Amino acid sequence: MSAKGRVLGALGRLVLREGRVAQVIDLAPRLCRVVVTGDDLRGAVWVPGDKAQIVLPDRSVRTYTPCSWDAGAGATSFLVFVHGDAPGAAWGRTVRPGDPVRFLGPQRSLRAEGPCVVVGDETAFGLAEALDAFGVFEVSDHAAAAAFVREGRGVVVPRGDLSAVADQVAAAAAGRALVLAGRASSIQGLRPLLAARGVPWPKQVKAYWADGKRGLD
Ligand SMILES: Cc1cc2nc3c(=O)[nH]c(=O)nc-3n(C[C@H](O)[C@H](O)[C@H](O)COP(=O)(O)OP(=O)(O)OC[C@H]3O[C@@H](n4cnc5c(N)ncnc54)[C@H](O)[C@@H]3O)c2cc1C
């Protein structure tokens, strides 16, 4: 349990929304869509790109991106990438319909108006869906990418080939705003590569996770 989880757990319904898992859709062995519904979700003001900080069953807090939000019906969904055994990944692997889900949010994170390109990894699929963006995804899990990245809606580059990512971004960026998310070291590595291709560094940048760090947000 994290300190943040303890505080949020103690404040409970004063600050947290609570819903229940209505559906878990396995899109690939390590990617699932978790649909959450509940009266607490009604009337929320959600802007695409917002985040939710979910208090997990062990009271760790991890951040995910609502892909959509139906404030009338009280429903949202998350695309959860399962990367290992850490609390967020374990939740994605074990979450079942009927489970309670308590979270802070929606809260402001990244914003984009008009057509945009999301650059990231599997953790940015939800962001790309929320922003209805073209995606340039540097991935380690090709099954997850095949399940999410529709033809014409994005391109996939194997993890580690940042020059190829930068080439794809340079090709896709004309007339579109750039939004960078995902692995911290990739974001860092892209800076000189994009500069070398004449692509200005965007304002909307957020590391979603970093090697060796836990619950980065
Ligand atoms: C604003 C925001 C929005 C986000 N939205 C989403 C989303 O919609 N869907 C989603 O799946 N994730 C999303 N993330 C990323 C997610 O919060 C992190 O991946 C988080 O670390 C997962 O928690 P964990 O308990 O599984 O791992 P942690 O305990 O936080 O990390 C343990 C270790 O696992 C490794 N690690 C963490 N994440 C990954 C990964 N994705 N791939 C490989 N190794 C990893 C790191 O080395 C880390 O040290 C978002 C993060 C932020 C900040």
Side-chain angles (χ1 to χ4, degrees), residues 3 13 15-16 31 49 65 73 91 105 113-114 116 135 140 142 173 204 216:
R13 298 297 288 273
V15 293
L16 298 176
L31 182 70
T65 306
W91 178 67
E113 276 164 26
C116 63
S140 58
H142 290 274
Q204 298 297 309
L216 192 61

Side-chain angles (χ1 to χ4, degrees), residues 95-185:
V95 64
R96 294 288 173 268
D99 287 357
V101 182
R102 298 191 306 155
F103 62 93
L104 205 55
Q107 298 174 311
R108 186 181 182 119
S109 180
L110 290 163
R111 288 277 194 273
E113 276 164 26
C116 63
V117 179
V118 163
V119 187
D121 63 2
E122 295 91 340
T123 62
F125 289 167
L127 176 69
E129 185 169 307
L131 294 176
D132 193 20
F134 186 84
V136 178
F137 300 110
E138 181 207 6
V139 305
S140 58
D141 185 329
H142 290 274
F148 177 75
V149 184
R150 309 262 172 285
E151 182 115 15
R153 298 306 314 272
V155 289
V156 173
V157 175
R159 172 166 292 168
D161 193 349
L162 285 182
S163 290
V165 173
D167 287 342
Q168 293 290 351
V169 173
R176 290 159 156 164
L178 270 190
V179 181
L180 301 196
R183 190 185 194 186
S185 59

Side-chain angles (χ1 to χ4, degrees), residues 67-81:
C67 302
S68 61
W69 199 292
D70 185 335
T76 187
S77 76
F78 303 96
L79 280 168
V80 179
F81 180 59

Side-chain angles (χ1 to χ4, degrees), residues 197-214:
R197 288 160 179 78
V199 179
W201 191 244
K203 289 206 176 77
Q204 298 297 309
V205 180
K206 171 99 186 152
Y208 275 8
W209 64 277
D211 298 273
K213 297 247 165 79
R214 316 203 66 185

Side-chain angles (χ1 to χ4, degrees), residues 24-48:
V24 179
I25 303 163
D26 292 320
L27 301 174
R30 293 167 61 203
L31 182 70
C32 65
R33 185 183 296 278
V34 180
V35 180
V36 179
T37 61
D39 285 344
D40 261 12
L41 280 66
R42 292 184 208 274
V45 178
W46 167 77
V47 177

